[in-house]
Amino acid sequence: MIEVRNLCKNYDEVPALTDVTFSVTDGEVIGLLGPNGAGKTTLMKILTGFLQPDAGSAAIAGFDVLEQCQAIQEMIGYLPENAPLYPELTVQSYLRMVADLRNIPRQNQQQRLSEAILSTGLADKLTLPINTLSKGYRQRVGLAQAILHQPRLLILDEPTNGLDPTQIVEVRNLIKKLSSRSTVIISTHILSEVEATCDRAIILINGQVKADARLSELAATSNARLTLNTGNAEEPQKILEGLAAVRQVTYSSNENGRVSYLIKGKNDADLCPALYQLAKEHDWRLCELYQEGRTLESVFNELASAGGEK
């Protein structure tokens, strides 16, 4: 659905995107993550045809963003962070105007409008001017215009901005429903939003892709946690450090006399079988043994604190 190759964009002498490469298949829900200034908005503007890259290429459904921009924009639904609404129009008038601008045939407009309005919970706000709505409802109007024409690609910039917790859950469910007919890219700084709605995350730092993987792959780690009931913490540590697959061992003691070891592996292999065997051989009093998982937040923080180094 999306093919991006070696994309670069500078503002004067400041690089916004450097050699960005990734691809997205039909029906995926992608979380686009990165700190402020990472290049997320620049990337979305290039994909939607509002900006031209300085180098590289981007194609959507086989259409080049430079050569076939109009064809791409016809198949995209886009919700920017601050939706460009017409505050003096009523919700219904605005959505009808968008339907006309999108060239939705008149015989199909009523059905499309009804679907978008029901999906975004706007049925009781249709006759109200947009400038009388709360921020959360204005966000719903922006989402309704983005899905009105049933786009093949839906690009959402902070889609739950300004919504209350109940509305956030509703939007998450809507995104999951929309993924059955649309590819979805969600740009957000809310990591839990990505974990709740996305299949995969692309992390941009300093204009470069520093991680691109399914959430389950990002969470995978070879780190293991071993807790023993032992009076001598140093001796097991030395034995653990002697394992070929172990990179580092640290420990902490608690007041119950137990010692917890964090064992970091050299690769992605599961250390637990070898650790269990070691505990049996040395007759350690084993209290706990499990492979540690990482959260998306910890992955993001590792990349950010490392200055963007992989």
Side-chain angles (χ1 to χ4, degrees):
M1 184 62 188
I2 303 174
E3 199 72 37
V4 174
R5 289 288 174 264
N6 308 114
L7 209 60
C8 297
K9 179 66 180 178
N10 295 333
Y11 295 110
D12 295 326
E13 300 299 318
V14 180
L17 296 175
T18 304
D19 215 24
V20 170
T21 296
F22 64 90
S23 60
V24 178
T25 59
D26 268 324
E28 280 194 288
V29 181
I30 305 294
L32 184 61
L33 290 171
N36 291 335
K40 303 188 301 298
T41 299
T42 297
L43 176 58
M44 287 187 293
K45 286 183 176 180
I46 290 173
L47 292 177
T48 53
F50 289 104
L51 266 183
Q52 290 192 350
D54 295 330
S57 64
I60 296 175
F63 295 99
D64 185 270
V65 294
L66 291 178
E67 304 296 331
Q68 297 158 300
C69 183
Q70 184 174 347
I72 287 173
Q73 289 177 342
E74 288 175 359
M75 70 175 73
I76 286 179
Y78 181 38
L79 175 63
E81 184 174 359
N82 297 304
L85 307 175
Y86 289 81
E88 69 278 4
L89 294 180
T90 65
V91 172
Q92 183 171 265
S93 298
Y94 171 73
L95 292 178
R96 286 195 177 277
M97 180 191 72
V98 172
D100 287 335
L101 290 172
R102 284 290 186 181
N103 293 320
I104 298 174
R106 284 300 176 101
Q107 63 268 26
N108 297 336
Q109 282 193 14
Q110 192 57 50
Q111 181 180 350
R112 297 286 182 86
L113 286 164
S114 296
E115 289 175 356
I117 288 164
L118 290 174
S119 295
T120 53
L122 289 169
D124 60 344
K125 305 294 182 182
L126 293 181
T127 60
L128 297 179
I130 292 173
N131 61 10
T132 66
L133 301 178
S134 67
K135 185 177 181 180
Y137 272 104
R138 291 198 300 272
Q139 190 74 351
R140 291 185 186 210
V141 176
L143 186 56
Q145 66 79 26
I147 66 174
L148 190 58
H149 58 299
Q150 297 183 348
R152 289 188 61 188
L153 173 62
L154 186 58
I155 299 178
L156 308 175
D157 193 357
E158 303 290 354
T160 58
N161 186 28
L163 302 184
D164 63 37
T166 301
Q167 294 166 346
I168 288 172
V169 172
E170 291 172 355
V171 170
R172 287 176 178 174
N173 291 334
L174 175 59
I175 290 170
K176 291 176 182 177
K177 181 180 177 182
L178 292 171
S179 67
S180 64
R181 67 184 182 207
S182 302
T183 302
V184 184
I185 294 180
I186 302 171
S187 174
T188 181
H189 66 281
I190 304 173
L191 301 181
S192 60
E193 198 69 40
V194 174
E195 290 177 319
T197 57
C198 298
D199 308 311
R200 178 174 141 213
I202 297 174
I203 300 177
L204 280 179
I205 299 200
N206 297 329
Q208 297 177 297
V209 175
K210 294 301 178 182
D212 178 3
R214 300 188 70 81
L215 297 188
S216 58
E217 295 170 351
L218 287 173
T221 174
S222 63
N223 296 351
R225 178 71 63 174
L226 171 69
T227 302
L228 303 176
N229 194 340
T230 177
N232 185 351
E234 289 81 3
E235 182 180 342
Q237 182 181 12
K238 291 178 182 178
I239 296 171
L240 292 167
E241 289 172 341
L243 285 175
V246 170
R247 174 167 54 89
Q248 183 184 18
V249 179
T250 56
Y251 72 87
S252 59
S253 303
N254 64 26
E255 52 190 30
N256 295 323
R258 295 180 177 180
V259 181
S260 179
Y261 299 88
L262 174 61
I263 303 144
K264 296 183 179 181
K266 292 179 180 178
N267 49 47
D268 293 333
D270 185 359
L271 292 172
C272 289
L275 295 176
Y276 178 74
Q277 188 61 36
L278 205 62
K280 284 181 62 179
E281 291 174 4
H282 293 274
D283 200 25
W284 291 336
R285 297 175 65 185
L286 181 62
C287 301
E288 191 175 42
L289 174 62
Y290 60 90
Q291 186 173 12
E292 284 207 328
R294 295 188 299 178
T295 63
L296 184 58
E297 181 178 3
S298 67
V299 174
F300 183 85
N301 288 337
E302 284 173 19
L303 291 170
S305 63
E309 294 296 328
K310 282 189 178 179

